[in-house]
Amino acid sequence: MPRLSQSTLRLLPAGIDQPHYDRSGVTPGIVHLGIGAFHRAHMAVYVDRLLAAAPDWGIVGVSLRRPDTKVALTPQDGYYTVAVRDASGTQCGIIGSIIAIVDANAERGRLLRLMAAPAIRIVSLTVTEKGYCHDPATGQLDEHHPDIVHDLAHPDDPVTAPGLIVAALERRLAQGTAPFTVLSCDNLPNNGATAARIVARFAELRSAELGTHVRQHVAFPSTMVDRIVPATTDADRQLVDDLIGLEDAWPIMTEPFTQWVIEDRFPAGRPPFETVGAQLVEDVGPFEKMKLRLLNGSHSTLAYLGYLAGHEYVSEVMQSPDFVRLIHDLITLEAMPTLDMPGVDLGHYRDELLARFSNPALKHRTWQIAMDGSQKLPQRLLGTIRDRLAAGQPIDRLALGVAAWMRYVTGIDEQGAAIEVRDPLAGRLRAIADSAHREPIRLAVGLLTIGEIFGRDLPQNEVFREAVTGHLRSLFDHGSAATVAALVRSS
Ligand code: CS2
């Protein structure tokens, strides 16, 4: 089977959407750090749709850790398939907006030259929560992070996103080129402000002048990004190859839903995102909070409890009426009341979410979502819990999500088999679980000492501690499914 590439596009069957612009006329305007599946299902698709009208906004993707995306897509001239799936079938389209891929480790000099080039007006990021090298509880740069320590010592050879951004901004400043706009596309609260705080602090540690430059002249608009993108499997590759009649080494599988809300602050200019379905607004904060608390908060809860109950995929968990009820009530009774979203029908948003989680064609592993819990819990569950505690309101279901994370990070499942816990704090989590001998109170007390996750206030809060410990005991004694069943029956 021939490989997908510029020269084989003409072989695509009718009905497979493909770029309607002259690819040879597309020039780079965006450098995107973190060229993983999420970016390719989201921002790259929006950009693909506007290149016919604005061909100077091509994307150069950067892989920060592994060069696997570059290896897969370079022989394909950057083209790849996005396969949109639901119960009614699979719709494939070819995306061409990524015109080159740079491996940051092997090609750092080339990357920094590119990021300093005047044509690059946006540097966007999908580097996941841990890529910000911050303290998730406070949102401040973690100055002791080994990669940050490295980048401060080797400013011309940075390995982190903040290090690369500051090195490029420094070059631009030296050569008299206006700064690019930094566009965070990660699931962090106020992701623009968070990125700004971290990058500015890093710059300030380099020099006072750079710190002032970043604070005064670089824009960091916030965005709310949303599309569910499970990791691609070999079975997915096979399915896509069959549908497009060409070999695609790395197609992306996703859902029909997509949403992008962007703050309109781009002093260096921006593509006409509003022409391709993005919402440009003045303040993204409320949208981000809604998404993190309703979608991601329930996603993580479903992932930990679902994994413990033996479910591999989210859609499988959603076949259990007890789990659906738990999530419905977590959203409606505990998370929604903490939001202030005039003009948005939150009940409709919730119902849409429940339907998205149930999409039987998406094989979204609970294990995938369970990853990096230490970085995700604060903005997904703990902020909501804080607001509820401050208002004297119950937190039963939210606390069950936290307890399920605690049970999960012990690294041993309900059948006694090992769980592969992927988390930057995995070693610390495991040591705490081992020394607590998996005894609920000791485990909870031990994990609550991790200030980067729980801050100083939550471990002191008796209501929170008791709610979490009670659920944790039940998870150990009765298992996840029975704990969920008991909670939904008692309410
Ligand atoms: C998920 C998100 O993996 C996870 O933690 O909760 O990636 C989620 O699928 C996206 O935020 C949806 O927009």
Side-chain angles (χ1 to χ4, degrees):
M1 189 181 272
R3 187 85 174 256
L4 173 66
S5 71
Q6 178 71 50
S7 63
T8 56
L9 286 178
R10 63 192 165 78
L11 303 176
L12 286 166
I16 306 287
D17 203 25
Q18 55 171 298
H20 299 291
Y21 46 83
D22 170 14
R23 184 60 154 17
S24 62
V26 175
T27 55
I30 298 169
V31 167
H32 187 83
L33 306 181
I35 190 76
F38 182 74
H39 171 74
R40 286 191 274 147
H42 193 263
M43 180 173 175
V45 175
Y46 287 84
V47 172
D48 187 70
R49 301 212 170 109
L50 56 77
L51 283 177
D56 58 339
W57 287 105
I59 299 171
V60 177
V62 180
S63 48
L64 291 175
R65 307 220 163 261
R66 292 177 307 272
D68 45 1
T69 307
K70 180 176 167 116
V71 171
L73 297 195
T74 304
Q76 302 183 180
D77 303 316
Y79 290 101
Y80 63 95
T81 312
V82 169
V84 176
R85 308 197 70 192
D86 65 11
S88 69
T90 303
Q91 183 61 45
C92 293
I94 309 298
I95 301 300
S97 51
I98 300 177
I99 54 176
I101 299 183
V102 178
D103 170 5
N105 290 315
E107 305 171 277
R108 197 159 289 117
R110 175 182 169 208
L111 173 59
L112 287 173
R113 276 194 301 282
L114 181 71
M115 289 173 76
I120 300 302
R121 288 146 290 158
I122 293 178
V123 170
S124 48
L125 304 89
T126 310
V127 293
T128 81
E129 296 85 350
K130 59 180 178 282
Y132 289 77
C133 308
H134 70 314
D135 176 332
T138 62
Q140 304 288 344
L141 179 71
D142 174 2
E143 296 175 22
H144 305 294
H145 191 295
D147 292 343
I148 292 297
V149 172
H150 170 277
D151 285 4
L152 287 168
H154 305 94
D156 294 324
D157 209 13
V159 296
T160 67
L164 284 164
I165 289 171
V166 171
L169 288 170
E170 184 181 25
R171 290 185 182 206
R172 293 176 84 104
L173 183 62
Q175 75 202 22
T177 304
F180 44 66
T181 298
V182 179
L183 188 63
S184 165
C185 300
D186 282 293
N187 282 314
L188 293 167
N190 303 311
N191 55 12
T194 301
R197 197 180 316 114
I198 289 163
V199 171
R201 178 65 188 148
F202 182 92
E204 184 177 86
L205 291 170
R206 292 276 326 283
S207 78
E209 186 203 3
L210 266 178
T212 308
H213 176 63
V214 170
R215 278 185 224 287
Q216 292 184 348
H217 301 294
V218 184
F220 293 83
S222 280
T223 65
M224 183 269 252
V225 295
D226 189 7
R227 197 166 206 189
I228 294 177
V229 189
T232 305
T233 65
D234 286 340
D236 296 330
R237 287 188 175 84
Q238 191 58 54
L239 171 86
V240 168
D241 289 355
D242 290 346
L243 288 170
I244 68 169
L246 296 172
E247 185 197 340
D248 181 348
W250 206 332
I252 301 297
M253 317 306 286
T254 190
E255 60 173 341
F257 184 94
T258 179
Q259 190 178 11
W260 199 11
V261 190
I262 311 171
E263 263 166 28
D264 201 0
R265 287 190 288 117
F266 292 82
R270 64 162 172 82
F273 290 130
E274 71 283 5
T275 60
V276 288
Q279 294 159 260
L280 276 297
V281 302
E282 220 163 272
D283 179 13
V284 160
F287 292 93
E288 253 181 325
K289 196 161 161 186
M290 169 183 80
K291 195 248 167 178
L292 285 166
R293 291 188 173 191
L294 304 192
L295 188 157
N296 297 112
S298 37
H299 228 189
S300 289
T301 303
L302 277 172
Y304 297 118
L305 289 167
Y307 184 98
L308 292 168
H311 296 301
E312 187 168 5
Y313 303 115
V314 174
S315 54
E316 215 176 281
V317 190
M318 294 298 285
Q319 281 170 16
S320 154
D322 287 342
F323 277 90
V324 174
R325 170 81 193 279
L326 172 77
I327 295 304
H328 177 280
D329 291 353
L330 181 149
I331 295 177
T332 315
L333 304 175
E334 299 189 3
M336 262 160 56
T338 67
L339 302 173
D340 182 18
M341 295 285 300
V344 175
D345 181 348
L346 291 175
H348 173 75
Y349 185 82
R350 171 204 56 215
D351 294 345
E352 214 173 9
L353 274 185
L354 296 175
R356 291 170 64 195
F357 292 158
S358 305
N359 184 341
L362 280 194
K363 299 284 178 239
H364 201 187
R365 292 179 70 196
T366 49
W367 178 83
Q368 186 185 344
I369 301 160
M371 238 185 277
D372 293 344
S374 68
Q375 315 292 300
K376 294 175 175 173
L377 245 45
Q379 58 274 16
R380 295 182 176 207
L381 293 170
L382 303 179
T384 323
I385 286 175
R386 279 193 179 89
D387 285 356
R388 304 239 349 133
L389 289 171
Q393 291 161 337
I395 53 162
D396 262 7
R397 299 164 187 86
L398 296 160
L400 177 56
V402 177
W405 169 77
M406 291 181 166
R407 173 67 188 80
Y408 179 89
V409 299
T410 63
I412 296 178
D413 74 11
E414 293 182 1
Q415 274 66 49
I419 303 174
E420 194 197 338
V421 177
R422 287 258 185 100
D423 194 292
L425 303 189
R428 231 163 116 194
L429 299 171
R430 186 62 189 254
I432 291 173
D434 287 347
S435 73
H437 298 292
R438 298 178 167 71
E439 197 283 313
I441 297 186
R442 289 175 65 186
L443 178 62
V445 168
L447 291 171
L448 287 173
T449 60
I450 306 180
E452 301 97 298
I453 306 176
F454 294 102
R456 293 201 194 160
D457 54 336
L458 285 177
Q460 308 295 330
N461 189 297
E462 211 168 309
V463 176
F464 175 67
R465 253 189 358 235
E466 282 190 4
V468 169
T469 314
H471 286 316
L472 194 51
R473 180 171 296 117
S474 175
L475 289 171
F476 276 112
D477 290 351
H478 309 295
S480 166
T483 301
V484 171
L487 181 58
V488 301
R489 259 153 232 160
S490 72
S491 54

